[in-house]
Amino acid sequence: MWRSTPRSLAEEQSRLSGHTIEDLNDYLDRGRTPSDSSIDDSPACTVALTRLERLRAALRRVDSAAVDREAERTDGWVATIIDSIRLETRAGRRIPLTSDSPVARLALTEGAVIGVLRTAGDGIDGILISRCRLEGDVTEPGEPITVRLDVSVGTDGMNTGESVRDLTARLRAAVYAVLVQQTELTIAAVDITVTDLYLTTALPTSEGEADE
């Protein structure tokens, strides 16, 4: 389901210390056993593994029939997220930070910022960020930047009584907050597009907790 195209394979391996997303998925399947230092000591692999683990956690909540349907598609939300993980292992553009030192040149990478935004989305039940883009010249301090997010919304979020509008409003607020806290970007807008809705299963009852 998660195979690289021949054209992208060499580039992907160069970013992931000789590995591919499929290799990392297999590594997680084995419980990271035996340990592989070429993966564990690679910052890019670490980022990709973290995002694959988050996707796996979300898939455990998705209705099994929906997962089976997704496995047969190349344009579904799971495939979109995998493609995004491939792209986001790139460092991307250099985003400068101010410094009191006249010689220091502090910066964040675009990939790191996108990772932070995904983490913000992970904190909201029922939201999966499929794609994340920073539009504008992030290399120039003060330039207005638009954050564009494509998201999938699960029924677990809506089961709490929140609407899709409520969930996306929470995500927008979380994105603004984390960008203010961790970057110096000038955010003109956070545009969120809901591209998919997916069915999720109910959370299991905690041990010792009786159903009413």
Side-chain angles (χ1 to χ4, degrees):
M1 174 170 64
W2 299 350
R3 297 298 170 192
S4 305
T5 64
R7 184 177 62 179
S8 66
L9 183 60
E11 182 184 357
E12 186 171 307
Q13 289 174 320
S14 71
R15 292 197 306 272
L16 295 174
S17 304
H19 300 283
T20 65
I21 291 294
E22 290 76 26
D23 295 336
L24 301 185
N25 188 55
D26 291 342
Y27 191 47
L28 291 177
D29 283 341
R30 301 195 305 270
R32 305 194 189 210
T33 302
S35 62
D36 186 334
S37 60
S38 69
I39 294 177
D40 295 333
D41 296 341
S42 166
C45 287
T46 298
V47 169
L49 285 171
T50 298
R51 294 175 190 172
L52 286 171
E53 287 176 325
R54 290 172 183 162
L55 176 59
R56 284 167 169 246
L59 288 176
R60 285 194 290 270
R61 297 286 312 283
V62 178
D63 178 76
S64 58
V67 172
D68 291 341
R69 289 193 299 271
E70 282 291 322
E72 299 174 358
R73 297 178 58 186
T74 59
D75 61 344
W77 58 269
V78 174
T80 298
I81 294 173
I82 293 296
D83 286 343
S84 296
I85 292 173
R86 296 186 199 279
L87 291 173
E88 290 164 17
T89 57
R90 302 172 182 173
R93 294 173 288 179
R94 185 177 181 276
I95 303 173
L97 297 171
T98 58
S99 171
D100 294 332
S101 169
V103 295
R105 296 292 182 268
L106 303 181
L108 295 169
T109 65
E110 187 172 12
V113 172
I114 289 175
V116 165
L117 298 181
R118 283 193 176 278
T119 300
D122 289 342
I124 301 174
D125 287 341
I127 287 282
L128 277 174
I129 297 178
S130 304
R131 284 198 177 102
C132 179
R133 303 177 297 284
L134 303 179
E135 295 187 353
D137 189 358
V138 297
T139 66
E140 187 64 34
E143 284 295 305
I145 304 300
T146 296
V147 179
R148 298 196 186 278
L149 303 174
D150 293 347
V151 304
S152 300
V153 175
T155 54
D156 51 351
M158 290 185 287
N159 284 343
T160 64
E162 291 183 289
S163 65
V164 171
R165 185 184 297 273
D166 293 331
L167 290 169
T168 55
R170 286 178 58 197
L171 176 60
R172 182 175 289 105
V175 165
Y176 270 117
V178 77
L179 288 172
V180 168
Q181 292 167 0
Q182 301 195 33
T183 78
E184 297 173 5
L185 292 170
T186 301
I187 306 302
V190 176
D191 290 342
I192 301 173
T193 301
V194 177
T195 57
D196 291 281
L197 296 174
Y198 61 91
L199 295 176
T200 52
T201 56
L203 283 172
T205 304
S206 301
E207 186 175 351
E209 180 180 291
D211 293 333
E212 294 184 2

